[in-house]
Amino acid sequence: MSRGSRAAAAVVAAAALALTACAPSAPEGEGSGDGGATGSGVGPLVVATTTDVVNFNPLIGNSRTDSWVTDLMYPRLLHINEDGEKEAALATDWGYSDDLTGYFEIRDDMSWSDGEPITAEDVAWTLQSVLDDQPAGTLLGQMGAVESVEAVSDTRVELHLSEPDAVVVPEVGFWAVVVPQHVFEPEGSLADFANDAPQADGSWVSAGPYALTEVQRGQSYTMERVEDYPLADDGAPNASEVVFRVYPDVNTELLALESGEVDLVANALPPSQVERLQSADGIEVAEVPGLGYAHLVYNMDEPRLAQVDVRRALAAAVDYDTIREVVLQGQAVSAGSNPLIPVLSQFAPEDAEEYAFDPQAARDLMASAGVDDTSFRLLYNLTDPVMAQAAQLMEEQAAEAGITLELDGRERNAYLAATDAGDYDVYLGNFAIMDDPVTNFRLSYLPGGVINYTHVDDPDLTALVEEAGRQLEVADQVPVMQEAAEIVKDQVYDNIMYTQNLYIAHSDEWSGFVVQPSELLSVVNPVSLANATTAG
Amino acid sequence: MPALASFTLRRLARGLVTVWFAVTVTFLLLRLLPGDPALAIASPTMTEETRAAVLERYGLADPLVVQYGRYLLALVQGDLGTSFTQGQPVSSVLLERLPWTLLLTGAALVVTVLVGIPLGVLAAARAGSGLDRLVQGLGVTGQSLFVPSVGVLLLYVLGLQLGWFPIGGAYDRDVYGGEWYLSVLRHLALPALSLALVQLGAYVITLRSTLIEALGEDYCALARAGGIPYRRVLWKHALRNALLPTTTLVGLQLGFLVGGAVLTETVYAYPGVGRGIYEAVTQLDFPVLQGAFVLLAVTVVVANLLTDLVYGLLDPRVRT
């Protein structure tokens, strides 16, 4: 053996020795470390995910892949149905008792896995701690009008507001994930608690359909079914276990599905794979409505783009149909260039017409605006193949209208930073979840809104959005929001191109999944995975 | 001071400077990356106050020189910092993954050397023949292969179509004891083969050319003139000398191997340091990235140091 191979063999031997520390021990016996979980049921259901769980504390971070696991551990107050309407989950009733008080009434039949009941105190403590400790997550941004939270009975929580706000209750209900006060409170600040170690019995105290019992970082996360989950159709989950296996590469994920090593791929399929898998043996593809949109935004700090005719010209220089057909292979629906997207059926206008692709009109509008320099820099996320391909098509289409789009594709983090800094002329991007129109408009189009990237400041629009925020009934919000949306569309403050339909692939041996909109919820939401079964 | 001790000290000092240089460049490069770690850690819809709090919490609000000084001070105390995203010490994040990377790269090296040496010898012994040209062609082709493409191809053919190997991961669930080790070997086979395939060419071509050179040396001609069989001259005389540059190549290739491991571990869902780097890049997790690069720099420097020392022992001319 040469010196080189001796050295390599030594490395292998050292690694093998170190691996003995990684070798799992055989379980001691049934029932150990199961945190109230039970081994019966069908399956296991093996779900492919793309990354490890970063935070087991569901109130930190904004990772979709984390949520797939933590949503099975910690209950949300509200869910959302296929029509984009909020519906009961842990909360059975919600609303406002007066202009400055919101409330949630919660179920009285759910318990944490250690036997402690879930009470309004858990909910109030979770929400108040988010206000106090300000963990870096999505929920805090939805709580702007909330001054304090208190439990007024075992099942009722009240939110005290600084001003009337019609959307804060449903938004908090949708984004809030409730954690056990008796576990989290002793750990100090909610913002610093990683929640990455199990209790003494080897599991995490949780209240979802499955209890997390084993973590093998880089490999898998094993969750065992619990006896009692009232949100499931049969009052308990069907699968004996849900096992999340980590595949960073989507090609490997799909090979694992086709080989039968996994039963469900949690992330949406790339558009190019949908048709192939729809006809593949042993695989079914579920269609999931998107809850967001892809859009173009024009930087109005740039003098040329401050003119509405220039923005209209740019909007007329894109062939939206072609982009949906070529890039997304028809897997998208037009939003009629309206920010009230079709999935939000209560709000979306039925007759919204999309900006027409009209190169000559684009030329005329550009000329009438007196703009000679028709070159604009288009910023997009280079690592998103859909966006990258769409940008290239847009470049060609704009050229027909005499407009030059200089493509500025960047890596995701660089793209986000450039977006945040307003470093673009035209921005091509997407939002994954826009579940509430009033909230979306506040964030996107009101002065100071955290994603008002174009610095929209239109007094009429602002007045309408504020008025909608004071309407406690959705039916009263609708006409106001439709009027506001017309301003956005007419002034081209935002150019909504489409909502992408999502496709989730799973083994045809499994059925019973419950679809909820968006890739965050899709068929991996807790109710869906509790109802999934192999029993026909 | 004896020549060997002086030589060792010089190499050691050079290694330390190299590590410091790598640490500093890594620190600065990560901060020059266009991107905002607060956006990766928290939410794009966070308020300015939340963003400021995030930057403050992770020490990113301080001037660069302060961050650098604090980092170096912690580093010499063996503290690699805490992961932004996981909230765990970087050392434990990396140590959890290191055995898998060592196993993968070590196995790939063993395969490379065990296959590469006979191929290189065969090509050199039949220099100019069709077989030699075939081996050279394969060597050059192997060097130009892209690891992820090789990985997906092997997974598709040997994993999905033939079902001989599992699709990704490092071992099966619910297996214990000896069965677990067998499972580890089954999962190791394809990623190690992928890595070996893409680096094999360098070994074969290097060994072939140094061996042809050695076979033309006087001592080989003398040995053959003295009646020693060609096979013995080839394997016992020429190969021993030709292996010296190959030993150096093992050290040099380690850096390449580790680079290849990032892609290989990602395609094969293998839970090593390379995949940790991939994930840390997407999450802008500076401490994990810094820690991983320090670990890799130290590994490569130590490997090269050992190679230099072995070379110094074998060839006294190198010590001067």
Side-chain angles (χ1 to χ4, degrees), chain A residues 3 5 8 12 15 19-20 24-27 52 54-55 62 196 216 218-219 222 241 245-248 252 261 413-414 420 450, chain B residues 34 42 44-45 51 85 88 102-103 106-107 109 113 166-171 173 176 180-181 267 269 275 281-283 314:
Chain A
R3 292 179 190 93
S5 56
V12 175
L19 277 181
T20 54
S25 309
D52 274 291
V54 174
N55 275 300
N62 64 341
D196 54 0
Q216 295 180 346
Q219 282 268 118
T222 302
E241 288 179 330
R245 284 192 58 181
V246 187
Y247 296 89
T252 315
E261 290 185 31
N413 287 307
D420 206 45
V450 292
Chain B
T45 57
R51 180 208 207 111
T85 53
Q88 289 184 1
L102 286 178
L103 183 70
L109 261 179
V113 172
I167 311 280
Y171 52 89
R173 289 178 58 247
Y176 306 96
W180 184 79
Y181 286 98
V267 170
R275 201 174 110 199
V281 167
T282 59
Q283 296 160 351
L314 295 175

Side-chain angles (χ1 to χ4, degrees), chain B:
Chain B
M1 186 182 288
L4 185 60
S6 163
F7 170 75
T8 305
L9 279 178
R10 283 203 310 275
R11 288 291 184 274
L12 204 56
R14 192 191 292 177
L16 283 175
V17 171
T18 308
V19 169
W20 168 79
F21 186 73
V23 164
T24 304
V25 168
T26 305
F27 179 90
L28 293 174
L29 274 181
L30 289 179
R31 270 121 188 114
L32 287 175
L33 278 179
D36 179 354
L39 283 171
I41 295 166
S43 161
T45 57
M46 67 188 161
T47 60
E48 270 307 312
E49 293 74 28
T50 308
R51 180 208 207 111
V54 168
L55 294 177
E56 181 71 29
R57 182 174 302 140
Y58 293 103
L60 294 166
D62 298 325
L64 205 57
V65 66
V66 174
Q67 292 183 44
Y68 178 64
R70 193 170 50 218
Y71 176 61
L72 274 191
L73 193 64
L75 194 60
V76 294
Q77 295 169 346
D79 178 6
L80 293 173
T82 302
S83 162
F84 285 167
T85 53
Q86 298 175 45
Q88 289 184 1
V90 170
S91 51
S92 58
V93 171
L94 294 177
L95 286 177
E96 195 175 51
R97 292 173 174 273
L98 187 60
W100 297 109
T101 298
L102 286 178
L103 183 70
L104 173 59
T105 50
L109 261 179
V110 169
V111 172
T112 304
V113 172
L114 290 182
V115 176
I117 288 177
L119 274 182
V121 170
L122 203 62
R126 300 184 186 185
S129 69
L131 182 70
D132 177 32
R133 281 196 290 275
L134 179 68
V135 170
Q136 284 189 72
L138 289 176
V140 171
T141 307
Q143 282 179 294
S144 58
L145 289 175
F146 185 45
V147 177
S149 310
V150 175
V152 171
L153 185 69
L154 289 179
L155 280 173
Y156 180 76
V157 176
L158 302 178
L160 178 63
Q161 295 299 329
L162 298 174
W164 292 351
F165 296 98
I167 311 280
Y171 52 89
D172 293 314
R173 289 178 58 247
D174 298 332
V175 294
Y176 306 96
E179 209 181 332
W180 184 79
Y181 286 98
L182 280 178
S183 168
V184 167
L185 285 178
R186 285 184 66 233
H187 285 79
L188 176 65
L190 289 187
L193 181 61
S194 296
L195 263 186
L197 278 177
V198 295
Q199 62 169 350
L200 192 59
Y203 282 86
V204 172
I205 290 170
T206 304
L207 184 61
R208 175 192 171 277
S209 61
T210 52
L211 194 55
I212 288 173
E213 201 177 317
L215 283 169
E217 294 284 339
D218 290 345
Y219 67 90
C220 285
L222 271 174
R224 291 202 67 188
I228 299 174
Y230 177 72
R231 181 180 293 264
R232 187 175 171 79
V233 172
L234 178 68
W235 287 94
K236 292 289 179 187
H237 296 261
L239 182 59
R240 281 197 169 186
N241 285 291
L243 276 179
L244 277 174
T246 314
T247 306
T248 309
L249 196 61
V250 170
L252 292 175
Q253 286 285 95
L254 200 65
F256 169 79
L257 258 182
V258 168
V262 174
L263 298 172
T264 308
E265 290 176 358
T266 301
V267 170
Y268 285 97
Y270 208 73
V273 176
R275 201 174 110 199
I277 291 174
Y278 170 80
E279 289 168 0
V281 167
T282 59
Q283 296 160 351
L284 287 184
D285 196 338
F286 290 171
V288 171
L289 277 174
Q290 284 165 183
F293 285 126
V294 168
L295 182 70
L296 298 182
V298 169
T299 307
V300 172
V301 165
V302 168
N304 281 301
L305 184 67
L306 291 176
T307 308
D308 280 355
L309 294 179
V310 170
Y311 219 116
L313 280 172
L314 295 175
D315 187 349
R317 289 170 299 178
V318 179
R319 297 177 206 162
T320 54

